[in-house]
Amino acid sequence: ILSRSVSPTYQEIVCLSPEQPLAYTNSSFKVPVYTSQDGGFHFSPSFLTYIYRYPVSIDWIHPNIATSEGGVKVKVIGKGFVNQKTIYAKFGGDKVSICLYISSTSIECEVPSHAPGVFEVSVSLDGINYSLSQSKFEYIEAISVRSVEPSLIPMHLSTMLSIEVDVVKIPESVSIYCNAGGVLSEASKVVDDQLRTGKLRCNAPSVNTIGRMPLSITTDANVVLSSQDFLFVEYFSAPSLENLVP
Protein backbone atom coordinates (compact mmCIF):
# COMPACT_ATOMS: atom_id res chain seq x y z
CA ILE A 1 0.00 0.00 0.00
CA LEU A 2 1.49 3.33 -1.06
CA SER A 3 1.44 6.62 0.87
CA ARG A 4 2.59 9.94 -0.59
CA SER A 5 5.24 11.72 1.48
CA VAL A 6 6.77 15.17 1.85
CA SER A 7 10.44 15.82 2.55
CA PRO A 8 11.11 18.62 5.07
CA THR A 9 14.87 17.85 4.92
CA TYR A 10 17.12 15.63 2.79
CA GLN A 11 17.39 13.26 5.79
CA GLU A 12 13.71 13.01 6.66
CA ILE A 13 10.36 12.35 5.02
CA VAL A 14 6.86 12.60 6.48
CA CYS A 15 3.96 10.44 5.33
CA LEU A 16 0.54 9.36 6.51
CA SER A 17 0.28 5.68 7.40
CA PRO A 18 -2.23 4.04 5.02
CA GLU A 19 -5.30 2.30 6.36
CA GLN A 20 -4.88 -1.43 6.81
CA PRO A 21 -8.06 -3.54 7.08
CA LEU A 22 -6.17 -6.01 9.26
CA ALA A 23 -5.62 -3.25 11.82
CA TYR A 24 -9.24 -3.67 12.89
CA THR A 25 -8.71 -7.21 14.11
CA ASN A 26 -8.10 -7.94 17.78
CA SER A 27 -4.32 -8.12 17.50
CA SER A 28 -1.37 -6.01 16.39
CA PHE A 29 0.82 -6.84 13.41
CA LYS A 30 4.01 -5.57 11.80
CA VAL A 31 4.59 -4.37 8.25
CA PRO A 32 7.87 -3.40 6.49
CA VAL A 33 8.19 0.21 5.32
CA TYR A 34 10.22 0.92 2.14
CA THR A 35 10.82 4.21 0.34
CA SER A 36 10.63 5.02 -3.36
CA GLN A 37 11.64 8.11 -5.32
CA ASP A 38 10.08 7.17 -8.67
CA GLY A 39 6.40 6.69 -7.87
CA GLY A 40 6.63 3.14 -6.61
CA PHE A 41 8.57 1.44 -9.40
CA HIS A 42 11.74 0.90 -7.40
CA PHE A 43 12.03 0.65 -3.61
CA SER A 44 14.89 0.95 -1.15
CA PRO A 45 16.69 -2.32 -0.35
CA SER A 46 16.49 -1.59 3.37
CA PHE A 47 13.31 -1.12 5.38
CA LEU A 48 11.98 -0.17 8.81
CA THR A 49 9.23 -1.95 10.72
CA TYR A 50 5.91 -0.25 11.49
CA ILE A 51 3.39 -1.72 13.95
CA TYR A 52 -0.35 -1.53 13.42
CA ARG A 53 -2.32 -1.97 16.60
CA TYR A 54 -5.98 -2.60 17.29
CA PRO A 55 -7.46 0.87 17.96
CA VAL A 56 -7.91 1.58 21.68
CA SER A 57 -11.42 2.44 22.82
CA ILE A 58 -13.23 3.37 26.03
CA ASP A 59 -16.44 1.75 27.24
CA TRP A 60 -16.81 3.41 30.65
CA ILE A 61 -14.95 5.01 33.59
CA HIS A 62 -15.42 4.31 37.30
CA PRO A 63 -15.74 6.47 39.25
CA ASN A 64 -16.74 9.18 36.78
CA ILE A 65 -16.74 12.21 39.08
CA ALA A 66 -14.19 14.16 41.14
CA THR A 67 -13.62 17.64 42.51
CA SER A 68 -11.65 20.20 40.51
CA GLU A 69 -8.53 19.37 42.51
CA GLY A 70 -8.32 15.95 40.85
CA GLY A 71 -6.04 13.32 42.38
CA VAL A 72 -8.66 10.54 42.28
CA LYS A 73 -7.64 7.18 40.83
CA VAL A 74 -10.14 5.86 38.30
CA LYS A 75 -10.41 2.64 36.31
CA VAL A 76 -10.90 3.00 32.55
CA ILE A 77 -12.57 0.00 30.92
CA GLY A 78 -12.19 -0.46 27.17
CA LYS A 79 -10.36 -2.45 24.50
CA GLY A 80 -6.94 -2.57 22.88
CA PHE A 81 -4.72 -1.56 25.82
CA VAL A 82 -1.11 -2.71 25.50
CA ASN A 83 1.26 -3.65 28.34
CA GLN A 84 3.75 -0.80 28.03
CA LYS A 85 5.36 1.73 30.35
CA THR A 86 3.20 4.70 29.36
CA ILE A 87 -0.48 4.95 28.41
CA TYR A 88 -2.11 8.35 28.15
CA ALA A 89 -5.61 9.57 29.03
CA LYS A 90 -6.78 13.04 28.06
CA PHE A 91 -9.42 14.77 30.20
CA GLY A 92 -11.28 17.56 28.45
CA GLY A 93 -8.91 17.91 25.52
CA ASP A 94 -5.97 19.49 27.35
CA LYS A 95 -5.28 17.71 30.66
CA VAL A 96 -3.26 14.51 30.24
CA SER A 97 -2.82 11.72 32.79
CA ILE A 98 -0.24 8.92 32.67
CA CYS A 99 -2.02 5.60 33.26
CA LEU A 100 -1.04 2.18 34.59
CA TYR A 101 -1.70 -0.92 32.48
CA ILE A 102 -3.85 -3.56 34.23
CA SER A 103 -5.05 -5.69 31.33
CA SER A 104 -5.96 -5.42 27.65
CA THR A 105 -9.38 -4.13 28.76
CA SER A 106 -8.45 -2.04 31.80
CA ILE A 107 -6.08 0.77 32.86
CA GLU A 108 -5.84 2.89 36.02
CA CYS A 109 -5.40 6.67 35.79
CA GLU A 110 -5.02 9.49 38.29
CA VAL A 111 -7.43 12.30 37.44
CA PRO A 112 -5.67 15.63 36.76
CA SER A 113 -7.01 18.91 38.13
CA HIS A 114 -9.56 20.67 35.93
CA ALA A 115 -12.19 23.40 35.93
CA PRO A 116 -15.73 22.25 36.85
CA GLY A 117 -17.85 20.76 34.06
CA VAL A 118 -18.52 17.59 32.10
CA PHE A 119 -15.69 16.61 29.74
CA GLU A 120 -14.81 13.84 27.31
CA VAL A 121 -11.99 11.42 28.12
CA SER A 122 -9.94 9.70 25.41
CA VAL A 123 -6.93 7.38 25.59
CA SER A 124 -3.74 6.94 23.58
CA LEU A 125 -0.83 4.50 23.43
CA ASP A 126 1.63 7.03 22.00
CA GLY A 127 0.41 10.42 23.29
CA ILE A 128 -0.37 11.50 19.71
CA ASN A 129 -3.22 9.40 18.33
CA TYR A 130 -6.18 9.35 20.72
CA SER A 131 -9.19 7.05 20.70
CA LEU A 132 -12.26 8.03 18.73
CA SER A 133 -14.52 6.47 21.34
CA GLN A 134 -14.81 8.63 24.43
CA SER A 135 -16.47 8.60 27.82
CA LYS A 136 -17.75 11.43 30.01
CA PHE A 137 -16.16 12.59 33.25
CA GLU A 138 -17.58 15.24 35.58
CA TYR A 139 -15.65 17.74 37.70
CA ILE A 140 -17.44 19.66 40.45
CA GLU A 141 -16.39 22.34 42.91
CA ALA A 142 -15.43 20.92 46.30
CA ILE A 143 -18.42 20.93 48.64
CA SER A 144 -17.97 23.15 51.68
CA VAL A 145 -19.14 21.52 54.93
CA ARG A 146 -20.16 24.38 57.24
CA SER A 147 -21.49 22.63 60.31
CA VAL A 148 -22.58 19.28 61.70
CA GLU A 149 -25.03 18.58 64.51
CA PRO A 150 -24.54 16.83 66.80
CA SER A 151 -20.76 16.62 66.82
CA LEU A 152 -20.64 14.29 69.84
CA ILE A 153 -21.81 10.80 68.88
CA PRO A 154 -22.38 7.85 71.20
CA MET A 155 -20.95 4.63 69.80
CA HIS A 156 -23.31 1.84 68.74
CA LEU A 157 -26.40 4.05 69.07
CA SER A 158 -28.38 5.38 66.12
CA THR A 159 -27.72 9.13 65.78
CA MET A 160 -29.07 11.27 62.96
CA LEU A 161 -26.58 13.87 61.72
CA SER A 162 -27.61 17.16 60.13
CA ILE A 163 -24.82 18.58 57.95
CA GLU A 164 -24.99 22.05 56.44
CA VAL A 165 -23.42 21.98 52.96
CA ASP A 166 -23.66 23.50 49.46
CA VAL A 167 -26.32 21.01 48.41
CA VAL A 168 -26.90 22.70 45.02
CA LYS A 169 -23.35 21.76 43.96
CA ILE A 170 -24.13 18.05 44.25
CA PRO A 171 -25.28 16.51 40.92
CA GLU A 172 -28.68 14.83 41.10
CA SER A 173 -27.26 11.64 39.57
CA VAL A 174 -24.69 11.12 42.35
CA SER A 175 -25.38 9.06 45.48
CA ILE A 176 -23.93 10.84 48.52
CA TYR A 177 -22.55 9.36 51.73
CA CYS A 178 -21.27 10.61 55.08
CA ASN A 179 -17.80 9.24 55.77
CA ALA A 180 -16.22 8.99 59.21
CA GLY A 181 -13.18 6.82 59.75
CA GLY A 182 -13.64 5.21 56.32
CA VAL A 183 -17.15 3.99 57.23
CA LEU A 184 -19.95 5.14 54.91
CA SER A 185 -23.55 5.99 55.66
CA GLU A 186 -25.95 6.99 52.88
CA ALA A 187 -27.18 10.59 53.05
CA SER A 188 -30.29 12.34 51.79
CA LYS A 189 -30.55 15.95 50.65
CA VAL A 190 -32.84 18.59 52.13
CA VAL A 191 -32.81 21.60 49.81
CA ASP A 192 -33.91 25.19 50.43
CA ASP A 193 -34.58 26.37 46.86
CA GLN A 194 -34.97 30.02 47.83
CA LEU A 195 -31.68 30.25 49.70
CA ARG A 196 -30.00 27.83 47.26
CA THR A 197 -28.53 25.95 50.18
CA GLY A 198 -29.53 22.98 52.27
CA LYS A 199 -28.48 20.11 54.47
CA LEU A 200 -27.55 16.48 54.29
CA ARG A 201 -29.04 14.04 56.74
CA CYS A 202 -27.50 10.67 57.51
CA ASN A 203 -27.19 8.19 60.33
CA ALA A 204 -23.81 8.61 61.96
CA PRO A 205 -21.41 6.05 60.44
CA SER A 206 -21.06 3.07 62.76
CA VAL A 207 -17.39 3.14 63.71
CA ASN A 208 -15.69 1.01 66.35
CA THR A 209 -13.16 3.58 67.54
CA ILE A 210 -13.53 6.11 70.32
CA GLY A 211 -12.16 9.56 69.55
CA ARG A 212 -12.18 12.49 67.19
CA MET A 213 -12.22 11.95 63.42
CA PRO A 214 -12.84 14.00 60.28
CA LEU A 215 -16.25 13.91 58.61
CA SER A 216 -16.28 14.05 54.81
CA ILE A 217 -18.85 13.79 52.03
CA THR A 218 -18.11 11.03 49.51
CA THR A 219 -19.63 8.98 46.70
CA ASP A 220 -20.32 5.26 46.93
CA ALA A 221 -16.87 4.76 45.35
CA ASN A 222 -15.37 6.70 48.28
CA VAL A 223 -14.47 9.72 46.14
CA VAL A 224 -14.22 12.70 48.52
CA LEU A 225 -16.38 15.59 47.27
CA SER A 226 -16.07 17.85 50.31
CA SER A 227 -13.33 20.45 50.69
CA GLN A 228 -10.21 19.64 52.68
CA ASP A 229 -11.11 21.93 55.61
CA PHE A 230 -12.81 19.04 57.41
CA LEU A 231 -15.19 19.30 60.31
CA PHE A 232 -14.70 16.76 63.05
CA VAL A 233 -17.04 14.54 65.01
CA GLU A 234 -16.16 12.78 68.24
CA TYR A 235 -17.31 9.30 69.17
CA PHE A 236 -17.62 8.39 72.84
CA SER A 237 -18.62 5.30 74.73
CA ALA A 238 -22.24 5.69 75.78
CA PRO A 239 -22.81 5.10 79.51
CA SER A 240 -24.76 2.01 80.48
CA LEU A 241 -26.91 1.31 83.53
CA GLU A 242 -26.17 -1.81 85.52
CA ASN A 243 -28.17 -1.33 88.67
CA LEU A 244 -30.72 1.00 90.27
CA VAL A 245 -30.94 1.46 94.04
CA PRO A 246 -33.41 1.61 95.61
Side-chain angles (χ1 to χ4, degrees):
I1 300 176
L2 300 181
S3 176
R4 187 178 297 275
S5 65
V6 294
S7 181
T9 71
Y10 73 95
Q11 293 179 320
E12 177 184 4
I13 62 172
V14 178
C15 60
L16 182 66
S17 58
E19 182 178 339
Q20 292 273 6
L22 290 176
Y24 295 93
T25 64
N26 289 324
S27 61
S28 62
F29 63 95
K30 299 177 180 180
V31 295
V33 178
Y34 300 89
T35 58
S36 172
Q37 300 186 67
D38 57 7
F41 290 100
H42 301 90
F43 289 90
S44 58
S46 60
F47 66 90
L48 296 174
T49 300
Y50 185 81
I51 301 176
Y52 280 93
R53 288 195 173 114
Y54 181 77
V56 292
S57 62
I58 298 178
D59 294 328
W60 51 277
I61 299 175
H62 182 75
N64 62 354
I65 189 171
T67 62
S68 297
E69 287 83 357
V72 174
K73 289 187 177 181
V74 300
K75 184 173 288 187
V76 179
I77 305 300
K79 301 179 183 68
F81 302 128
V82 175
N83 188 0
Q84 59 187 42
K85 185 176 181 180
T86 305
I87 300 175
Y88 305 84
K90 187 180 290 186
F91 289 73
D94 57 349
K95 298 286 188 175
V96 176
S97 173
I98 305 300
C99 305
L100 175 67
Y101 175 87
I102 299 175
S103 71
S104 62
T105 59
S106 177
I107 58 175
E108 184 181 73
C109 311
E110 183 172 307
V111 175
S113 60
H114 205 294
V118 178
F119 301 94
E120 292 182 336
V121 180
S122 56
V123 293
S124 171
L125 298 177
D126 57 12
I128 300 173
N129 301 296
Y130 280 83
S131 59
L132 297 178
S133 62
Q134 300 171 326
S135 189
K136 303 289 185 181
F137 192 88
E138 184 170 7
Y139 287 92
I140 68 170
E141 291 183 37
I143 300 167
S144 177
V145 180
R146 300 189 184 93
S147 65
V148 55
E149 294 180 354
S151 59
L152 290 175
I153 304 170
M155 291 182 62
H156 309 306
L157 293 179
S158 178
T159 303
M160 181 63 67
L161 300 182
S162 179
I163 307 167
E164 187 178 355
V165 298
D166 297 325
V167 172
V168 293
K169 292 183 179 179
I170 304 174
E172 290 295 331
S173 59
V174 177
S175 298
I176 297 299
Y177 293 77
C178 303
N179 184 329
V183 180
L184 304 184
S185 176
E186 189 167 7
S188 59
K189 294 186 287 187
V190 180
V191 182
D192 187 324
D193 292 324
Q194 290 184 338
L195 297 178
R196 292 188 59 78
T197 186
K199 294 183 178 182
L200 293 178
R201 296 188 186 277
C202 67
N203 284 317
S206 182
V207 303
N208 294 314
T209 304
I210 295 174
R212 189 168 177 260
M213 59 188 63
L215 180 72
S216 60
I217 307 303
T218 71
T219 69
D220 56 348
N222 215 11
V223 175
V224 177
L225 301 181
S226 50
S227 57
Q228 297 302 310
D229 49 342
F230 295 110
L231 291 181
F232 287 82
V233 291
E234 185 166 353
Y235 285 81
F236 65 94
S237 180
S240 61
L241 297 178
E242 296 181 355
N243 195 13
L244 183 63
V245 178

